[in-house]
């Protein structure tokens, strides 16, 4: 692809890719990720804070795109389809936050790079009764150096395990925030996202 | 993966679901071209139709998906949103958007790849979320 031609935003001001561009200036897009095991409340959380109904985008991963040897001439190559939910939130006319949910299954780790590249940070949603399901996400963000926080979903308002117990079981670094949250509550999800961003801010300042 | 072409209608997946289909359908639109993973446009990339593109909407030679993309991009739209609204696969949209950009029908604003290390952006997003938090009621608007 000829993406070298695309204009990369160089500063706070937007630049236009072609001299004939319209006067319409899109907002600067920023991205956060909500991750975690299957059925843990990712889509609920996205829906709670998004200003639009969460959308689902499907990514067709061909074997070519997945990095397997060239099969582009093979007419019956397989394609795997992964569905990703996302929502967005206009913070001001120049800044728009996109919130993407990562596909739950570990075997689609290769999709995560697409979802998480350039993300400000990630919230890993945890059901404390099924802690192991969040391990792939925790491992991934630790490895990539993406700032993240753990959000323990309180199903029906009740935490099955205490936050210190969850922290201890996950064995995350002491500076990684572990908070309780309710995926259905917009306030709760927003506060948890702020926790992630403040953690990212601390890290960016070198603690 | 081991049985290519065996699209399983029985596997009716929902969220986080996976299905195997022939690659012929989605990538027919792109004449079989795929994007290089390393150079793929980020999903939050903003797209806007150019005035030329809007002028061409009056003419018949913009067909089907390309026309739909231009229509949708009258206002700024993210790549992910475009794919979702047109119910097209993300990587198919990436190829079509590349074509339209080459033909100067689409302005492509690639986001800065600063990630979590841009202090100014982090502060602005925190402030933006807090402002919603204090002014908005429960639930979303």
């Amino acid at each position: 692809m000829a993406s070298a031609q695309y204009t990369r935003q160089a500063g706070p001001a937007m630049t236009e890719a072609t001299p004939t561009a319209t006067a319409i200036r899109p907002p600067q897009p920023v991205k956060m990720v909500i991750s975690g095991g299957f059925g843990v409340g990712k889509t609920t959380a996205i829906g709670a804070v998004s200003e639009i109904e969460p959308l689902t985008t499907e990514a067709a991963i061909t074997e070519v795109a997945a990095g397997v040897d060239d099969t582009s001439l093979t007419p019956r190559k397989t394609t795997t389809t992964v569905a990703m939910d996302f929502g967005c939130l206009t913070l001001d006319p120049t800044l728009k936050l996109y919130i993407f949910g990562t596909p739950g299954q570990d075997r689609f780790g290769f999709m995560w790079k697409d979802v998480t590249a350039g993300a400000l940070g990630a919230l890993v949603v945890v059901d404390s009764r099924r802690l192991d399901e969040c391990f792939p996400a925790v491992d991934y963000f630790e490895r990539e150096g993406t700032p993240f926080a753990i959000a323990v979903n309180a199903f029906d308002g009740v935490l099955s395990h205490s936050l210190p117990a969850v922290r201890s079981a996950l064995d995350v670094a002491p500076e990684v925030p572990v908070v309780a949250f309710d995926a259905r509550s917009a306030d709760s999800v927003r506060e948890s996202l702020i926790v992630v961003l403040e953690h990212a801010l601390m890290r960016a300042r070198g603690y | 993966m081991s049985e290519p072409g065996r699209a399983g209608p029985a596997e009716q997946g929902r969220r986080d679901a996976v299905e195997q289909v022939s690659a012929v359908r989605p990538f027919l639109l792109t004449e079989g071209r795929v994007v290089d993973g390393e150079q793929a446009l980020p999903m939050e990339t903003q797209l806007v139709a150019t005035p030329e593109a809007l002028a061409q909407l009056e003419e018949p030679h913009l067909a089907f998906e390309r026309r739909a993309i231009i229509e949708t991009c009258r206002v700024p739209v993210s790549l992910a949103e475009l794919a979702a609204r047109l119910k097209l696969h993300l990587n198919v949209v990436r190829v079509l958007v590349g074509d339209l950009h080459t033909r100067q029908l689409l302005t492509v604003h690639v986001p800065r790849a600063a990630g979590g290390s841009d202090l100014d952006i982090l502060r602005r997003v925190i402030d933006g979320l807090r402002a919603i938090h204090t002014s908005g009621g429960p639930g979303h608007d």
Side-chain angles (χ1 to χ4, degrees):
Chain A
M1 288 300 301
S3 66
Q5 301 167 10
Y6 297 133
T7 303
R8 193 163 285 278
Q9 292 176 10
M14 300 286 302
T15 47
E16 282 153 14
T18 58
T20 51
T22 61
I24 301 172
R25 283 176 174 269
Q28 177 171 356
V30 291
K31 178 165 72 175
M32 293 185 75
V33 176
I34 296 186
S35 189
F38 180 79
V40 80
K42 296 187 297 280
T43 305
T44 305
I46 292 169
V49 290
S50 176
E51 67 194 9
I52 58 168
E53 282 294 311
L55 292 168
T56 302
T57 187
E58 292 197 328
I61 312 302
T62 61
E63 289 182 74
V64 179
V68 178
D69 280 345
D70 184 17
T71 55
S72 55
L73 299 177
T74 311
R76 290 171 72 85
K77 66 189 171 185
T78 50
T79 302
T80 303
T81 301
V82 186
M84 287 171 295
D85 294 326
F86 68 98
C88 59
L89 201 49
T90 302
L91 299 176
D92 67 49
T94 62
L95 191 63
K96 191 165 179 179
L97 174 64
Y98 288 86
I99 302 162
F100 285 92
T102 54
Q105 295 94 333
D106 186 30
R107 58 179 282 232
F108 299 112
F110 57 82
M111 271 307 299
W112 287 26
K113 203 165 185 70
D114 207 353
V115 180
T116 62
L120 299 178
L123 191 65
V124 179
V125 184
V126 168
D127 176 350
S128 63
R129 296 163 301 185
R130 296 178 293 155
L131 267 187
D132 55 318
E133 292 188 5
C134 79
F135 291 164
V138 169
D139 287 346
Y140 182 84
F141 295 126
E142 282 180 345
R143 201 166 58 236
E144 293 290 308
T146 307
F148 70 96
I150 305 289
V152 186
N153 202 359
F155 288 91
D156 300 319
V158 180
L159 283 182
S160 307
H161 300 84
S162 72
L163 296 182
V166 171
R167 171 184 288 284
S168 161
L170 288 180
D171 195 26
V172 289
E175 63 273 15
V176 172
V178 179
V179 298
F181 102 140
D182 179 346
R184 299 162 303 182
S185 157
D187 282 351
S188 178
V189 177
R190 273 196 296 266
E191 278 190 39
S192 304
L193 293 177
I194 290 171
V195 165
V196 172
L197 293 166
E198 285 181 332
H199 174 54
L201 202 53
M202 293 258 291
R203 273 187 33 164
R205 286 178 176 141
Y207 297 112
Chain B
M1 288 292 214
S2 58
E3 292 184 83
R6 290 273 309 260
E11 288 178 38
Q12 291 279 334
R14 284 303 311 146
R15 303 244 176 260
D16 283 336
V18 176
E19 53 187 295
Q20 293 191 354
V21 295
S22 162
V24 171
R25 278 185 291 146
F27 287 96
L28 189 65
L29 290 172
T30 70
E31 292 152 345
R33 291 167 299 149
V34 295
V35 284
D36 179 339
E38 289 300 306
Q39 296 196 328
L41 287 172
M43 298 198 295
E44 68 275 24
T45 300
Q46 300 286 302
L47 310 165
V48 192
T50 63
E52 283 117 310
L54 296 177
Q56 285 197 18
L57 284 178
E58 310 299 320
E59 302 161 26
H61 62 262
L62 255 188
F64 304 111
E65 287 77 15
R66 288 168 178 81
R67 172 174 290 270
I69 290 173
I70 299 297
E71 291 274 9
T72 309
C73 294
R74 284 175 186 273
V75 292
V77 166
S78 67
L79 184 72
E81 225 171 325
L82 183 64
R85 286 210 211 151
L86 300 184
K87 299 194 186 345
L88 290 171
H89 288 258
L90 194 60
N91 289 337
V92 170
V93 173
R94 281 185 164 124
V95 174
L96 298 179
V97 161
D99 288 352
L100 291 171
H101 175 69
T102 303
R103 290 165 61 186
Q104 304 208 337
L105 298 179
L106 212 53
T107 317
V108 177
H109 298 266
V110 182
R112 278 191 287 168
S117 59
D118 187 324
L119 295 177
D120 177 53
I121 288 291
L122 287 169
R123 286 196 197 95
R124 285 178 62 199
V125 177
I126 291 171
D127 290 348
L129 285 172
R130 286 218 173 99
I132 295 169
H133 182 77
T134 48
S135 65
H140 56 93
D141 31 330

